[in-house]
Amino acid sequence: MRGEIEEADAVIHVGDHGPRRFYDELLAHCKKLYSVRGNNDTMDVPFEIILELEGVKIAVIHSDKARNNRENYLLYHFADDNPNLIIFGHTHRPHWVEIGNQTILNPGSPTLNRGVGYDTFVILTVDRGTFHIEFKKVALK
């Protein structure tokens, strides 16, 4: 996974970085880091961000405030921003659903999955207003 981090044009992290040293190491090894604060983080990063990459509007949030229906929460929370893609964390479980013209995505966790039996991350390829999602499993140690 370190190779993917170093090769990527950008890394998007949805919070719960773990120890501060992990966040610092991530900063040192990636070209550009977009990161939000999780409910277990102390570093000074925003709770949510909206960014545009290659014509794709992306909302990033940890989503620990969501209760009951997380998808509805995310769609409502970002309704005024109208992102093409909403990337969220908190559950540590991979999730991908398309609702209307929006995609909701949780890349899972590359280090601490919850109940799925494997760790995951996503390679997101963005090009001229389109994007492609590829889930990757991380071998458990």
Side-chain angles (χ1 to χ4, degrees):
M1 188 174 85
R2 186 172 178 163
E4 286 93 342
I5 289 171
E6 291 174 344
E7 290 175 19
D9 293 328
V11 171
I12 298 172
H13 196 288
V14 292
D16 282 352
H17 298 82
R20 174 64 192 230
R21 69 180 182 275
F22 172 78
Y23 176 77
D24 291 338
E25 188 171 323
L26 193 57
L27 272 173
H29 291 282
C30 66
K31 297 172 188 166
K32 175 73 178 167
L33 178 61
Y34 298 101
S35 187
V36 295
R37 187 180 315 177
N39 59 304
N40 293 310
D41 292 328
T42 58
M43 63 276 308
D44 187 24
V45 294
F47 287 102
E48 64 185 62
I49 54 177
I50 304 287
L51 58 128
E52 189 163 325
L53 300 175
E54 296 278 329
V56 174
K57 191 181 235 185
I58 303 170
V60 183
I61 189 169
H62 186 65
S63 84
D64 57 299
K65 305 289 186 251
R67 302 289 180 253
N68 300 326
N69 190 323
R70 191 170 307 276
E71 293 167 0
N72 281 346
Y73 169 85
L74 293 167
L75 290 170
Y76 179 76
H77 186 80
F78 291 110
D80 291 340
D81 300 300
N82 196 30
N84 307 101
L85 175 61
I86 301 171
I87 305 175
F88 74 97
H90 188 61
T91 66
H92 296 241
R93 291 172 168 251
H95 181 82
W96 174 3
V97 65
E98 295 179 17
I99 300 174
N101 63 347
Q102 293 177 302
T103 300
I104 299 175
L105 172 70
N106 185 324
S109 173
T111 58
L112 185 62
N113 79 78
R114 289 196 178 144
V116 292
Y118 48 86
D119 295 335
T120 59
F121 67 99
V122 164
I123 294 181
L124 176 67
T125 305
V126 182
D127 184 32
R128 294 175 286 188
T130 64
F131 59 91
H132 174 75
I133 296 165
E134 180 183 0
F135 275 94
K136 296 283 197 171
K137 288 184 181 179
V138 179
L140 295 177
K141 296 175 176 110

